[in-house]
């Protein structure tokens, strides 16, 4: 019976990658191509709180007290979300798990429904290039169109190509020092997960420094193989 459940269970994929690696963009493309649902921890928490679920109310109480939401609460929220109809074709987890303890709890949760991690995909980046990529980006304050000091400047300096707006914005934390610190923290936090999923034979690595379309093709090939 368990074998039959596993064979037909909805696939579960994990996207690993530092800030700016393009996880959000690639996840959206995978959603469209494969009918998967992207689940990020932040979105899950906000939705559960808004819906007033038991786990959501528990999370709300913890957050209002200024504390961190426990792994148990996050797992309970994820359990509720995975049971919803739109997750029937599979999900992409973004931002969870972050630790091996969370990874083990996730494995236990998925086993309840005969599911497993089909692939943990690590978007591999060059740290120095990532500092340049992130610290140089800015957006139009009116329409949100994205630009970059080196890679994509508007045709007329200071004027948005899309809407003609003249107010450009940069995130306060998009500077070389902050980005470097975020990358260091990511590698320290994620290294144990890389080892964990390598040990389970679920880890896949992909070069995430190329063109968006090339990365998407590589991811699609991995997802197709992992969910076959």
């Amino acid at each position: 019976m368990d074998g039959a459940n596993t064979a037909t269970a909805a696939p579960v994929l994990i996207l690993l990658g530092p800030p700016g690696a393009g996880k959000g963009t690639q996840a959206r493309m995978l959603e469209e191509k494969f009918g998967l649902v992207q689940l990020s921890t932040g979105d899950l928490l906000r939705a559960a709180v808004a819906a007033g679920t038991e786990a959501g109310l528990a999370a709300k109480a913890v957050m209002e007290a200024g504390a961190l939401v426990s792994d148990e609460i996050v797992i309970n929220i994820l359990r509720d979300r995975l049971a919803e109809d739109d997750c029937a074709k599979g999900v992409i987890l973004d931002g969870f798990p972050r630790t091996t303890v969370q990874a083990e709890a996730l494995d236990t949760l998925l086993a309840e429904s005969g599911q497993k991690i089909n692939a943990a995909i690590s978007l591999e980046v060059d740290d120095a290039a990532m500092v340049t990529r992130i610290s140089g980006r800015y957006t139009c304050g009116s329409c949100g169109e994205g630009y970059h000091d080196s890679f994509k400047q508007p045709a007329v300096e200071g004027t948005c190509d899309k809407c003609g707006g003249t107010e450009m914005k940069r995130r306060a934390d998009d500077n070389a020092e902050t980005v470097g610190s975020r990358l260091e923290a990511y590698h320290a936090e994620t290294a144990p997960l890389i080892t964990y999923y390598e040990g389970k034979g679920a880890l896949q690595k992909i070069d995430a420094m190329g063109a968006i379309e090339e990365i998407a093709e590589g991811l699609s090939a991995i997802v197709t193989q992992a969910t076959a």
Side-chain angles (χ1 to χ4, degrees), residues 104-183:
E104 290 167 352
L106 177 59
D107 285 342
T108 300
L109 166 62
L110 295 175
E112 294 174 5
S113 55
Q115 292 174 281
K116 64 178 182 180
I117 300 300
N118 296 74
I121 307 170
S122 176
L123 302 183
E124 301 287 297
V125 301
D126 176 87
D127 282 7
M130 286 300 294
V131 170
T132 299
R133 179 190 288 184
I134 298 175
S135 61
R137 65 188 183 184
Y138 58 97
T139 60
C140 171
S142 299
C143 71
E145 180 72 6
Y147 294 98
H148 195 280
D149 293 330
S150 302
F151 310 130
K152 183 188 175 184
Q153 294 187 5
V156 177
E157 184 178 355
T159 302
C160 178
D161 296 337
K162 187 174 182 180
C163 74
T166 56
E167 182 186 359
M168 298 295 174
K169 294 184 176 181
R170 294 179 188 269
R171 282 179 45 171
D173 57 352
D174 278 356
N175 59 74
E177 183 178 354
T178 302
V179 173
S181 297
R182 284 158 62 193
L183 285 167

